[in-house]
């Protein structure tokens, strides 16, 4: 009899930040090599890696399942927070998960942890499957404490609300205290007629990566690897097991294996990617967006020509050339569907100019547009300097236009606030960036968790050449002393082995220097949001490439200190 197939429904990738070691491409390749037809990504409280996982999995012929492991906040019936896994069944479930994660980070964050209130989860339940969280769920907590009646009441409450969309998780991860919950969980499931599912919380690719994973956890928590008092939350068994290994683990409960495949079959999310969606720019009644662009550009050109050519005779002579170029550009912009983009950019730039926020004159290929010059986006006459519009927009190479706009550093936030007020605070956010463990930094991080002397680690870190894109592999080729020390000193060899396993992993979430998103509606229809602890800044959970893939348009609001200094200089000159 062949072993029942199995699908992994729990995976913490590197985007879990604190406790995941699996890279996205690595996870997809592991699933492909093990002939898995589907795989779920369930990072802790986020969807940071979802878009790239979705694309890579589909390219490899694997069905991608969206999900997240989330903290549920304590309430009257739950004195302690607990975890469950939410899996997306449908597009409405994906939007619900985006809203839940956004609310958790923006409104229910405590000491850097985002919590989802149970009442909010119940409200947003459509299209979501719930896995019980095993020992870390509310039912598992009660069973661990020997409180059978409480566990039964909690499981019954979940079943009443979620019906067939709630599963009790069974896990055997090599921890006797946690593995022993399988038997009472199966008993409870049989009594209440709740389906069980075998899951395996993947934290790292292979068994031999356990120590590197523990080092990553220590780096995130500021602990020492050898500290006897640090909590040991993971086991060496939490690697990417094959279906055969899982079948052997749960050979006594084949239904739990079969249900992992059934859940994968029930989860079907199709995303529309690569189609840009601009916010609606308000136009006067009865005037289309394209006609309004033409009107504004023509009116702006008249003002510019009056400034450029005060002599009326000369102006009349030059006007035909400018109008011909303007008509050509307008036709191209309308044809490519970018009228709204130009009007939006012109709106916030002209607001800035009229409200005392210095703006740069324009740079990059956007300075080649006469429409931009006419609308006030740039202050450079492209005809005077023979600048080509085709370098900025070309129908043969369809891509979003991208104006790099410089604002005074001190006034930039005022412009962003204006945009928030104009388009709605739920429609405007900045963009996440992900910092990674670079060569020098990972040496210092690993040296710290190994409790090696600072000077010892510093000497080794300084052997790595200072060069953009430097890796530990390149450094070992270029600096023979690194390999010599690794061969002679056991501590150096251990440090390098751990550092090479961690190098390049996502370490932290930051904010794009200038990118601002303006959505046609609520941002959570496109991306979940993230808010760092103690910060007012709201950012997308997707980076600049992924937000564009899901259809959002990035506007660059670059803060330039030079403009601030120039503004101060002019002000002081006028005062004195």
């Amino acid at each position: 009899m062949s072993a029942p197939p199995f699908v992994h429904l729990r995976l913490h990738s590197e985007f879990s930040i604190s406790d995941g070691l699996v890279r996205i491409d690595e996870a997809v390749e592991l699933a492909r090599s093990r002939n898995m037809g589907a795989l779920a990504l369930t990072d802790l409280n986020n969807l940071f890696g979802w878009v790239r996982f979705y694309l890579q999995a589909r390219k490899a012929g694997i069905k991608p399942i969206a999900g997240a492991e989330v903290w549920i906040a304590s309430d009257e019936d739950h004195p302690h927070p607990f975890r469950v896994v939410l899996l997306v069944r449908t597009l409405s479930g994906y939007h619900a998960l985006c809203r839940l994660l956004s609310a958790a980070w923006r409104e229910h964050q405590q000491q850097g942890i985002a919590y989802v209130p149970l009442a909010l989860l119940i409200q947003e339940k459509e299209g979501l499957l719930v896995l019980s969280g095993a020992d870390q769920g509310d039912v598992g907590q009660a069973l661990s404490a020997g409180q059978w009646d409480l566990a039964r009441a909690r499981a019954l409450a979940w079943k009443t609300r979620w019906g067939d969309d709630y599963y009790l998780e069974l896990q055997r991860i090599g921890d006797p205290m946690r593995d022993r919950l399988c038997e009472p969980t199966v008993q409870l499931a049989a009594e209440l007629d709740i389906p069980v599912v075998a899951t395996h919380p993947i934290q790292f690719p292979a068994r031999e990566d356990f120590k590197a994973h523990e080092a990553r956890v220590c780096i995130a928590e500021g602990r020492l690897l050898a500290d006897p008092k640090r909590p040991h939350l993971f086991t060496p068994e939490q690697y990417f097991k094959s279906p055969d290994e899982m079948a052997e683990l749960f050979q006594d409960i084949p239904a739990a294996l079969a249900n992992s495949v059934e859940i994968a079959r029930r989860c079907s999310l199709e995303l529309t990617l690569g189609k840009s969606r601009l916010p609606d720019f308000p136009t006067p009644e009865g005037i289309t967006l394209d006609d309004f662009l033409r009107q504004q550009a023509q009116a702006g050109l008249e003002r510019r020509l009056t400034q450029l050519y005060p002599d009326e005779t000369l102006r009349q002579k030059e006007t035909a050339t400018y109008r011909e170029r303007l008509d050509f550009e307008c036709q191209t912009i309308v044809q490519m569907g970018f009228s709204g983009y130009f009007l939006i950019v012109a709106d916030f730039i002209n607001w800035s100019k009229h409200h005392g926020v210095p703006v740069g004159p324009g740079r990059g290929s956007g300075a080649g547009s006469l429409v931009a010059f006419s609308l006030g986006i740039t202050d450079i006459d492209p005809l005077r300097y023979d600048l080509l519009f085709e370098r900025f927009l070309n129908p043969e190479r369809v891509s979003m236009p991208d104006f790099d706009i410089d604002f005074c550093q001190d006034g930039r936030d005022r412009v962003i606030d204006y945009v928030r007020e104009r388009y709605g605070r739920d429609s405007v956010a900045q963009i996440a960036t992900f910092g990674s463990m670079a060569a020098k930094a990972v040496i210092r991080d690993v040296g710290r968790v190994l409790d090696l002397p600072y000077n010892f680690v510093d000497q080794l870190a300084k052997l790595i050449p200072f060069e953009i894109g430097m890796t530990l592999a390149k450094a070992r080729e270029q600096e023979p002393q690194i390999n010599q020390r690794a061969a002679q000193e056991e501590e150096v060899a251990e440090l390098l082995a751990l550092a090479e396993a961690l190098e390049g992993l996502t370490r932290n979430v930051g904010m794009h220097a200038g990118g601002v998103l303006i959505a046609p509606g609520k941002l959570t229809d496109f991306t979940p949001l993230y808010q760092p602890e103690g910060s007012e800044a709201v950012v997308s959970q997707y980076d600049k490439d992924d937000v564009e893939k899901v259809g959002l348009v990035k506007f660059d609001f670059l803060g330039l200190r030079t403009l601030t200094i120039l503004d101060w200089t002019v002000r002081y000159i006028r005062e004195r």
Side-chain angles (χ1 to χ4, degrees), residues 139-422:
V139 176
Q141 287 175 354
L143 288 174
S144 296
Q147 297 174 303
W148 176 265
D149 290 341
L150 179 60
R152 187 182 187 283
R154 287 177 172 176
L156 190 57
W158 282 103
K159 182 187 177 182
T160 301
R161 293 181 183 125
W162 260 266
D164 293 338
D165 290 339
Y166 177 71
Y167 291 78
L168 284 166
E169 281 186 87
L170 306 178
Q171 292 180 0
R172 288 170 176 165
I173 61 171
D175 181 337
M177 294 297 290
R178 292 153 77 177
D179 292 358
R180 68 181 176 84
L181 287 181
C182 274
E183 187 177 338
T185 302
V186 170
Q187 186 181 340
L188 183 64
E191 183 178 324
L192 298 178
D193 193 26
I194 296 173
V196 293
V197 60
T199 64
H200 187 70
I202 301 166
Q203 304 291 147
F204 40 93
R207 191 192 298 272
E208 56 268 24
D209 295 315
F210 176 63
K211 189 173 182 179
H213 175 265
E214 290 294 276
R216 174 163 172 80
V217 173
C218 288
I219 289 170
E221 296 180 350
R223 298 179 184 272
L224 299 178
L225 200 55
D227 181 0
K229 295 181 180 178
R230 74 177 178 87
H232 292 269
L233 304 175
F234 307 97
T235 76
E237 294 299 311
Q238 289 182 252
Y239 64 92
F240 200 115
K241 287 184 181 285
S242 69
D244 287 341
E245 288 175 296
M246 291 302 297
E248 188 177 340
L249 267 181
F250 288 95
Q251 58 184 327
D252 55 330
I253 319 172
L257 296 165
N259 278 339
S260 72
V261 180
E262 173 63 15
I263 288 171
R265 186 190 64 78
R266 295 183 64 196
C267 294
S268 294
L269 173 61
E270 292 277 342
L271 293 182
T272 301
L273 300 179
K275 182 180 179 182
S276 298
R277 298 278 305 279
L278 282 161
D280 295 326
F281 186 84
T283 59
E285 190 175 346
I287 300 178
T288 66
L289 199 64
D290 296 336
D291 287 342
F292 191 63
L293 172 76
R294 290 189 178 96
Q295 287 180 13
Q296 293 296 301
Q298 287 165 3
L301 179 63
E302 295 299 326
R303 290 191 294 272
R304 290 291 198 185
L305 288 173
T306 302
Q307 295 165 358
L308 292 171
Y309 303 102
D311 182 281
E312 190 174 344
T313 305
L314 185 57
R315 184 164 67 246
Q316 287 177 351
K317 181 182 175 184
E318 297 289 341
T319 294
T321 305
Y322 279 88
R323 282 186 175 161
E324 184 181 346
R325 169 74 172 260
L326 190 78
D327 289 344
F328 164 74
E329 288 193 17
C330 282
Q331 184 179 345
T332 304
I333 293 165
V334 167
Q335 178 187 331
M336 297 179 75
F338 297 145
S339 299
Y341 180 85
F342 276 77
L343 290 167
I344 290 163
V345 174
D347 176 62
F348 62 71
I349 285 181
N350 287 312
W351 181 90
S352 305
K353 291 176 177 177
H354 292 121
H355 289 82
V357 179
V359 185
R363 58 184 171 88
S365 59
S369 170
L370 183 62
V371 170
F373 179 58
S374 301
L375 293 175
I377 295 171
T378 63
D379 290 317
I380 299 162
D381 177 5
L383 271 69
R384 179 179 177 186
Y385 298 103
D386 293 327
L387 302 179
L388 295 174
F389 175 67
E390 288 79 3
R391 280 197 63 217
F392 182 58
L393 273 189
N394 193 327
E396 295 178 8
R397 182 179 53 85
V398 178
S399 60
M400 280 300 299
D402 186 16
F403 286 108
D404 291 323
I405 306 149
D406 298 316
F407 293 97
C408 155
Q409 183 73 48
D410 290 352
R412 174 178 172 270
D413 289 342
R414 286 176 56 205
V415 185
I416 295 174
D417 278 339
Y418 164 73
V419 171
R420 286 196 184 104
E421 291 301 322
R422 182 151 176 74

Side-chain angles (χ1 to χ4, degrees), residues 6-54:
F6 174 81
V7 169
H8 277 300
L9 301 175
R10 269 183 173 267
L11 166 63
H12 276 200
S13 77
E14 60 176 306
F15 288 101
S16 281
I17 308 297
S18 60
D19 65 12
L21 203 67
V22 189
R23 293 166 168 86
I24 297 292
D25 55 351
E26 198 171 28
V28 170
E29 176 55 28
L30 284 166
R32 190 198 62 75
S33 65
R34 286 158 170 75
N35 295 316
M36 285 189 171
L39 179 64
L41 180 67
T42 57
D43 282 317
L44 184 58
N45 280 337
N46 74 70
L47 288 172
F48 293 146
W50 165 243
V51 174
R52 62 195 73 188
F53 174 73
Y54 177 85

Side-chain angles (χ1 to χ4, degrees), residues 41-95:
L41 180 67
T42 57
D43 282 317
L44 184 58
N45 280 337
N46 74 70
L47 288 172
F48 293 146
W50 165 243
V51 174
R52 62 195 73 188
F53 174 73
Y54 177 85
L55 290 168
Q56 290 189 34
R58 286 174 65 94
K59 187 176 179 181
I62 293 164
K63 182 180 185 179
I65 301 169
E69 185 173 7
V70 298
W71 278 103
I72 303 297
S74 55
D75 58 22
E76 290 180 3
D77 298 322
H78 302 85
H80 304 291
F82 61 94
R83 293 189 193 186
V84 296
V85 171
L86 303 178
L87 297 178
V88 170
R89 277 200 308 112
T90 61
L91 185 60
S92 62
Y94 170 69
H95 291 149

